[in-house]
Amino acid sequence: MSTNANVIKGRTGDWEIVMGLEIHAQVASNSKLFSGAAVGFGAGPNEQVSLVDAAFPGMLPVLNRYCVEQAVRTGLGLKAQINLKSRFDRKNYFYPDLPQGYQISQFEFPIVGEGEVLVERDDGSSFTVGIERLHLEQDAGKSIHDLDPDATYVDLNRSGTALMEIVSRPHIRTAAEAAAYVKKVRAILVTLGTCDGDMEKGNLRADVNVSVCRVGGYDKFRESGDFSHLGTRCEIKNVNSYRFIQQAIEHEARRQIEILEDGGKIDQETRLFDPVKVETRSMRSKEEAMDYRYFPDPDLLPLVIDAAWVKEIEASLPELPDAKKARLQSQYGLSAYDAGVLTGDAALAAFFETAAVGRNAKLVANWTNNELSAQLALAGLSFDASPIPPKDIAELVELIEKETISSKIAKQVFEHMWAGEGSPAAIVETRGLVQVTDTGAIEAVVDRLIEANPGQAAAVKDKPQAIGWFVGQVMKEMAGKANPAAVNAILKAKLGI
Amino acid sequence: MSELTSLTLKGALDGLKAKSFSAVELTTAHVAAVEAARALNAFVLETPEKALEMAARSDARIASGEAGPLEGAPLGIKDLFCTEGVRATACSKILGDFKPPYESTVTANLFGDGAVMLGKLNMDEFAMGSSNETSAFGPVVNPWKVAGGNQSLTPGGSSGGSAAAVAADLCLGATATDTGGSIRQPAAFTGTVGIKPTYGRCSRWGVVAFASSLDQAGPIAKTVEDAAILLTSMAGHDPKDSTSLPVDTPDFASFVGKSVKGLRVGVPKEYRVDGMPAEIEKLWEDGVAWLREAGCEIVEVSLPHTKYALPAYYIVAPAEASSNLARYDGMRYGFRAEGNNLTEIYENTRAQGFGAEVKRRILIGTYVLSAGYYDAYYLKALKVRRRIAEDFDRAWEQCDVLLTPTAPSAAFALGERNADPIAMYLNDVFTVTTNLAGLPSISVPAGVDAQGLPLGLQLIGRALDEGTVFSVAGAIEKAAGFKARAERWW
Amino acid sequence: MAVDAATVRKVARLARIAVPQEALEPLAREIDGIMQWIEQLAEVDTDGVEPMTSAVAAVLPLRDDVVTDGAMVDKVVLNAPKSISGFFVVPKVVE
Ligand SMILES: [Mg+2]
Ligand SMILES: [Zn+2]
């Protein structure tokens, strides 16, 4: 179980990190979780706010069916237990961007229970992260601190937007694993269409619970389920990029180890990551320990969903990343690596599958995953917006398959395609790039070269690798259009090796 | 005052229909009555211009034959209801001059049926109280006085303004709300009729929340029939309230006057509490006799958990209130106090904005929900609540309606019970059980005590069976022949 | 579970209600009296009883995901103690 664990050397011995993540994913809905106000980005201050969102007296919540459906959908995507009966609770605390003075969330009975996510590491190995639960809850508004030195401005547009909070088990061991886990969950959400996954806009945010323990503590925890084998955790709130997740974890682990090695004790607290100073700092003093006083929201009744509805949702699920990767490997004979690359980008995979019809799929994957992918990235385009359509990549591969052009010439053809010169067949035609397989033409060139270079020809008999020099010369004379296999065969015959 | 203000709602609606008088005339008479009765402190905001404007529109609709069922009827509105463009404060300083940009569903229903608003009625702050003394606008004075005495009495609470205004003929009826007895106890204290319908009958949308799982709106009226007419208008399914029941509203008035023959009336033995005045006990027996005479079968039933209803209520209601009232923080509306930092501003705003009883309940509610106490108090109370509801379920196997006194005493003097919160809470001992169980219950004036103060009897029905409650209430009203009136001193 | 002045101070802080030092003790006594009276609930046997969170024996209604509300910034900030160009202006929040 300890494989790939990140052992950190301390002054007094080795340590390991253990992490659990809480991912907040905004549901891609039209309206808010409990009100009919619009959800969106970029509206003017308080323009997407109803009197429910601003918690006016006597305003009441009414639950959005679509948000429930998306939570169920996501739960199914996480291979999780769907709870047909769940409940909304209030989490009470005061903050200017929390108008009700409480957040409506699901504490005791979440809509989604235990599940799991298979996560791939960069080296191709994988690990499983247990999902403890997924629940629906309201987002808070936004406090803007830099518009006025003496006041805070509050915009409630985000207030009441539906979030899915996905809580993992503490099964994550390195900063890289944490980032890989978030990436994988994001891919599942985006595939399901339940969250747009836009981390820059804050539509997907992670809270990281970090603790450190002596090497071996984690294994004991996994064997016994006893949390006392782990250290005291600190929660780092709202880390909004893969890079920040890694930096925050690395900093926080070092901070905790230093305290412990100095004989200190970790306070369980909430910390904030400062991406400028690259450090975490305490958000609340211990004296102000939060007591959220959760209790069932009396404005709402128990949420009961129909098993038949869950079945219907299940039947409508798209192919999820794990299944897709497996299918791409088996159906197209792709390597795990290529299938993984394709799975990571739905538009790329769709492009690939369109281009691969009737073609050598490995060749198609080479072109989509390498040349085209690189050019699109440089141009800042996604595969949806590729100026080269899938049928042109298919045609290019077909030209290679039929030996009309060599792989080397294909690279030139691709450059012309990218430059907008038309279909690969037309480019090959107008530029005269057709591969010469006519043995007569090749033989003529070979005869001429042997005659002109008797010394080289003799040397090849003792040192067959020297044939490469002749191949190069033939190719040069024929401007790269000669079929390399034919050239080799003819040379071998004529040189008598 | 004038003939017009002494009419019942039904009488006034008939008069308007017969064009015996206009809505403007009817409203003018009531506006004058309201102005003349400021000594009662029943209204915290008078809206005479709005009232006359609405009445004029009613006259136009009556003339064009588009009159609604309540067309031209002047009503008082408890200040807990949000009224569009008209200040709504819940009688708390913390709401300041809050003017809701929306109309509560219940008042919108009434106004949609043609009712006229005379103004906003006084109440206990956030509906927390049983004597109307916690209002930021000062107490309401009961129109009734002890025979030959001059002491100011409480009209009860929290809907004290509603009850006093109806009893003093300032309006034909009033909206009220009931979380633990706040409609029925004031009705009993003022010789008026008040019904708390089944939880979920009336929408809570736009009504300032006290304890969401217990709050219900209902009317206070002069007669059982008037109460039925008003409730028919106020009730109805509202998709904006998730706890609103998706059921049709019957014409409740059609149940009033119906024969009660053959109905089984349960008399719960646990409502015979220590120290209850003999007159109340006597009145209860009268009620039993009247109903027996009307052909009802009387059965003794047991509601064994009755005595635990109040303590359970004083956990559930404050817990919900502590959270419901968190939104009053001085950030988006209402009063904001000074302070050196955000926390201080929160704390000062809420310390200065809320009155003592509201703060006491918020603190109790916060305490019972806080870490370490939730299971022992809050969860325990929810389980006891279930036990209380189950008591009623069992009773319904034996009877169709329950008869009890409304309150354990008649109206008491202002200031008399302020020192002891528990003594004040005990006012609701007979009413609070039906809030916990969500059942409809009505208070009907049935007699006076030795001092000449009105006393009420309570009828409790099955969930959604207001019809039977109204029928039996009508029978009590008829048999009691309650004709006493508060002698005008204001 | 006696309620003392320290408990009241803690609870008042959670509830964001300023209570002057001299009021803590009397308030504690008062609340403690009420809690003592409430303690009688312990007499009730509630083993195996499902907590009753609502008087409505129904399930939560769901609404369609359509935009029907909002776009009323003037109403939203109408009653605000302070607002500037659509924002609520509140005391400086120090994080
Ligand atoms: Mg969390
Ligand atoms: Zn959350």
Side-chain angles (χ1 to χ4, degrees), chain A residues 22 24 165 207 235 237:
Chain A
E22 291 166 23
H24 283 93
E165 179 173 333
D207 300 341
E235 182 176 15
K237 279 274 176 206

Side-chain angles (χ1 to χ4, degrees), chain A residues 92 291 293-295, chain B residues 319 322 364-371 374 378:
Chain A
N92 296 283
D291 182 346
R293 292 158 284 134
Y294 285 98
F295 77 110
Chain B
S322 70
I364 291 173
T366 305
Y367 175 63
V368 299
L369 289 176
S370 64
Y374 181 90
Y378 184 71

Side-chain angles (χ1 to χ4, degrees), chain A residues 428-466:
Chain A
V428 168
E429 177 72 36
T430 53
R431 297 207 168 246
L433 298 172
V434 179
Q435 180 165 257
V436 179
T437 41
D438 168 8
T439 44
I442 299 170
E443 269 178 45
V445 176
V446 170
D447 287 343
R448 201 165 58 243
L449 280 167
I450 292 175
E451 213 179 289
N453 301 286
Q456 305 275 17
V460 169
K461 293 210 165 67
D462 306 324
K463 211 176 147 208
Q465 317 82 292

Side-chain angles (χ1 to χ4, degrees), chain B residues 308 347 360 377 380 387, chain C residues 13 30 39 43-45:
Chain B
Y308 301 108
E347 292 186 341
R360 180 154 55 215
Y377 289 127
K380 180 76 182 180
R387 285 281 196 226
Chain C
R13 169 50 66 101
E30 201 172 72
E39 295 285 344
E43 296 164 14
V44 184
D45 175 13

